[in-house]
Amino acid sequence: AIGYLPADRAAVVRVTTLLQSGRVGSEFAEKALMGGGWVRPLSSGDAAILLTAIAGPEFENSWPVIDFLAMWLHHLKPIEGALTEIAWRALEAFPKRGEAWDFDIVAAALAVRDHDRGFELLQRYLTLSHDQNAWEPLDRHGGNRFWNALWAIDAVRCLETVIQAANESPLIAWELHWHLPEILDLTRDRDVLLRFGHRSEKDAEFVSSCLESKEGFWPLAIELLSLHPTNEKIRANIGSAAAYVNRVITGHFSVQYQRCAEEIDVVLRDTSTPDRVKPFLRDLIQRLRAAMEAERRGEQDESVNWP
C-alpha cells in the first residue's frame, strides 16, 4: 500500500521499519516502490535513508539500490549528498545481479563528478575474476555511457587502465579484445591509439588487437605496421581485422574474401603507403584470394547437394 501513498519521510520510515523487522525483503520493497513514479517527490535525504535500509549493513543487497538509482536518474533527479556515497558503495559491492543498463547509467553519472573514483571503478570491474559474473563496463549492450564519460575525461588514462587490466590475465585480455573494437572510433581516437603504438612494441600489439575494418582502420593499421614492420602479432592482428575475422558478415565467404582483397589492393596502390609494408599487403591479398577460391569451390560443391 505504501507505493500508492505519497513518497515522504513517513513513507520511508514505514518501509525501513518493515525491512528492519524482516517482514519484507529488500528486493520486494524496492520493486514495489518503483512503479507509478513514486520516487519523483522523494527528497535526496529521504532516498538515502531508504536505500541504506534496502542495501543492508554490508551492502549485500546492492543491486536493488542500483536499480532504484537508475530510475531516480530517469526522473532527472540528481545523485547528491549522502546519496552519492550510497551509489558508489552499491557499485563497489560488485553485485552479481541487475541490469547492465542500470549499472552503466549510475556509474556514468558518478564518474563525471569524481574522476579518480570512476577510473578506479573501471579498473576493478575489468579485473574481477571471471566467475564473479558481474557487470562488464565495456559490453556495448549496457550502453557504454560510463566508458564514454571516462574517455571524454581522459582517453589516455582510459586506454592505460585497459592495457593494465589486459596484462592481468589472458582471459581478461581476450574479453577486452572482444569488446573494444566495437566501441573505439578509429578516426576520433587515432592519436590516442598511436600514442601507445609509439610507446612500446607490446602496447602496439595490444592496440592492433583492438582494431576492426571500419572507417579509419587502414590509416591506423598502416602506421602501426610502419612502426613495427616485422612484428608477427601486429601483422596477424591487422590481417584478421582486414578479413573481418570474428565479425558478423552476411552472404558467401568467397564474396567477402574477394571484397577484402580488393580493399587491400586499393591501399597497396595508394602512393602514400610506405614501401616497407607493401610486401605484407601483397601476401595478405594472395592469402585472401586463395581463401576465396577455396570457399568458392566449397560453395559450388555444396550447391550440388542443396540446389
Side-chain angles (χ1 to χ4, degrees), residues 86-101:
I86 291 169
W88 278 116
R89 288 195 62 191
L91 288 167
E92 291 164 353
F94 311 111
K96 296 183 178 181
R97 297 181 59 190
E99 296 290 334
W101 194 263

Side-chain angles (χ1 to χ4, degrees), residues 7 36-43 72 75 77:
W38 186 83
V39 304
R40 272 200 197 107
L42 202 65
S43 71
W72 182 268
H75 289 300
K77 297 173 71 66

Side-chain angles (χ1 to χ4, degrees), residues 80-151:
E80 58 188 8
L83 207 55
T84 303
E85 183 61 24
I86 291 169
W88 278 116
R89 288 195 62 191
L91 288 167
E92 291 164 353
F94 311 111
K96 296 183 178 181
R97 297 181 59 190
E99 296 290 334
W101 194 263
D102 295 337
F103 281 76
D104 200 58
I105 290 172
V106 176
L110 294 173
V112 296
R113 297 175 58 190
D114 191 335
H115 303 171
D116 289 339
R117 200 164 180 178
F119 279 106
E120 183 181 350
L121 187 73
L122 174 66
Q123 189 273 334
R124 292 175 68 186
Y125 266 98
L126 291 180
T127 54
L128 286 176
S129 61
H130 191 66
D131 58 1
Q132 192 98 4
N133 195 29
W135 167 53
E136 296 182 47
L138 301 191
D139 187 344
R140 63 191 181 280
H141 296 102
N144 293 132
R145 296 172 186 81
F146 177 55
W147 168 262
N148 291 336
L150 292 176
W151 190 269

Side-chain angles (χ1 to χ4, degrees), residues 24-46:
V24 297
S26 295
E27 182 178 340
F28 176 81
E30 188 269 335
K31 287 296 182 186
L33 300 175
M34 291 303 294
W38 186 83
V39 304
R40 272 200 197 107
L42 202 65
S43 71
S44 295
D46 288 340

Side-chain angles (χ1 to χ4, degrees), residues 151-171:
W151 190 269
I153 292 164
D154 190 338
V156 172
R157 188 174 179 183
C158 255
L159 198 54
E160 185 73 69
T161 301
V162 167
I163 290 175
Q164 289 176 0
N167 290 334
E168 292 278 334
S169 78
L171 180 56

Side-chain angles (χ1 to χ4, degrees), residues 235 268 274-284:
R235 289 158 67 100
L268 178 63
D275 289 339
R276 60 182 173 276
V277 306
K278 287 182 178 179
F280 166 73
L281 296 178
R282 291 191 189 99
D283 178 66
L284 187 55

Side-chain angles (χ1 to χ4, degrees), residues 213-268:
S213 190
K214 58 183 178 182
E215 185 177 359
F217 166 70
W218 276 113
L220 188 53
I222 292 299
E223 185 77 19
L224 290 172
L225 288 167
S226 298
L227 287 169
H228 311 286
T230 61
N231 185 290
E232 291 300 326
K233 286 187 178 180
I234 293 174
R235 289 158 67 100
N237 288 334
I238 289 174
S240 295
Y244 292 78
V245 174
N246 293 329
R247 299 294 136 188
V248 176
I249 64 169
T250 58
H252 294 295
F253 274 107
S254 62
V255 175
Q256 175 65 19
Y257 288 142
Q258 181 178 2
R259 186 184 303 120
C260 293
E262 290 171 353
E263 289 178 1
I264 300 167
D265 191 55
V266 171
V267 178
L268 178 63

